[in-house]
Amino acid sequence: IYEKILYDDAVHVNLAGLTGDDVLCLTFSGLSKAYRVCGYRAGWMAISGPKKEAADYLEGINLLANMRLCANVPAQHAIQTALGGYQSINDLILPGGRLLEQRNKAYDMLNAIPGVSTQQARGALYLFPKLDPEVYSIRDDEKFVLDLLKEQKILVSHGRAFNWVRPDHFRMVTLPNVKDIEEAIGRMGDFLSRYQGN
């Protein structure tokens, strides 16, 4: 879903392109991220490889889709236009582009907070900062994000929601504009300077 939101010469490699015709591969994508139409709920699935050997499985997927999904007619028109039209996301991920600048600002400001470190994202719209356990004695990362939300009105996700086993990470969206990122991370730094965690 983030295959077009790449930074710093990162390249998306589609798994189906590596498997050849010997391995059944289901590839999913949609409009919401790269085509910036969240809420349209328009996506697709491509199937490659030996479909004949997976006929029962694919029939089950087809039955389930027919029973549980209904066509979103406006979104179906948007799919053709999006895929065949001007790829406006490219302007946002290149130097000077809004998404790249927001990612860079969030990265710089988070790493400037004592006890917080993050790797630079090479794609998508998120960072996954680490809270140094030597600096912050956080035992419950869900409580941490709720405390941050209650006090500072800043919403992040706790790391364990993404199957991270220790309570020392959180996930932050880099989609807000630079001014809002500056304000939010500034307030987050103030919050962390006083946060006891327990």
Side-chain angles (χ1 to χ4, degrees):
I1 201 83
Y2 299 105
E3 66 187 338
K4 294 181 179 295
I5 304 175
L6 302 170
Y7 311 105
D8 307 328
D9 299 321
V11 176
H12 170 78
V13 177
N14 191 312
L15 185 61
L18 301 176
T19 61
D21 294 332
D22 300 334
V23 178
L24 183 72
C25 189
L26 280 63
T27 304
F28 300 89
S29 195
L31 293 181
S32 66
K33 307 298 185 213
Y35 299 98
R36 300 180 293 131
V37 285
C38 297
Y40 265 56
R41 303 292 184 242
W44 51 88
M45 176 176 70
I47 303 166
S48 57
K51 296 183 211 61
K52 186 175 182 180
E53 294 175 24
D56 291 343
Y57 175 72
L58 298 176
E59 180 183 7
I61 289 176
N62 194 35
L63 286 170
L64 184 61
N66 287 331
M67 290 187 307
R68 302 297 300 164
L69 301 176
C70 1
N72 179 340
V73 176
Q76 289 179 345
H77 292 290
I79 291 171
Q80 181 180 5
T81 302
L83 295 179
Y86 172 68
Q87 303 298 308
S88 64
I89 198 73
N90 295 339
D91 297 334
L92 301 176
I93 60 175
L94 296 172
R98 184 174 61 83
L99 295 179
L100 180 66
E101 297 304 315
Q102 291 161 190
R103 177 206 70 154
N104 291 344
K105 178 57 73 174
Y107 171 81
D108 291 342
M109 289 188 72
L110 286 165
N111 281 308
I113 299 172
V116 177
S117 61
T118 189
Q119 296 293 315
Q120 184 61 288
R122 304 263 333 266
L125 305 166
Y126 313 94
L127 291 174
F128 200 59
K130 179 179 182 179
L131 300 167
D132 186 342
E134 300 293 322
V135 178
Y136 307 105
S137 59
I138 297 172
R139 292 193 180 130
D140 183 346
D141 58 346
E142 186 173 0
K143 180 182 183 314
F144 161 72
V145 300
L146 289 172
D147 291 344
L148 179 64
L149 178 62
K150 287 176 191 172
E151 182 183 311
Q152 293 294 326
K153 309 299 185 251
I154 298 170
L155 178 63
V156 297
S157 299
H158 62 293
R160 288 183 301 140
F162 296 90
N163 296 317
W164 189 257
V165 295
R166 291 178 298 282
D168 61 354
H169 278 72
F170 64 94
R171 181 179 185 247
M172 179 182 166
V173 176
T174 59
L175 198 51
N177 66 51
V178 167
K179 182 180 174 188
D180 291 336
I181 286 174
E182 289 173 337
E183 181 182 342
I185 296 177
R187 290 186 2 228
M188 186 184 298
D190 179 58
F191 173 83
L192 284 167
S193 70
R194 299 176 280 102
Y195 191 65
Q196 298 301 309
N198 300 325

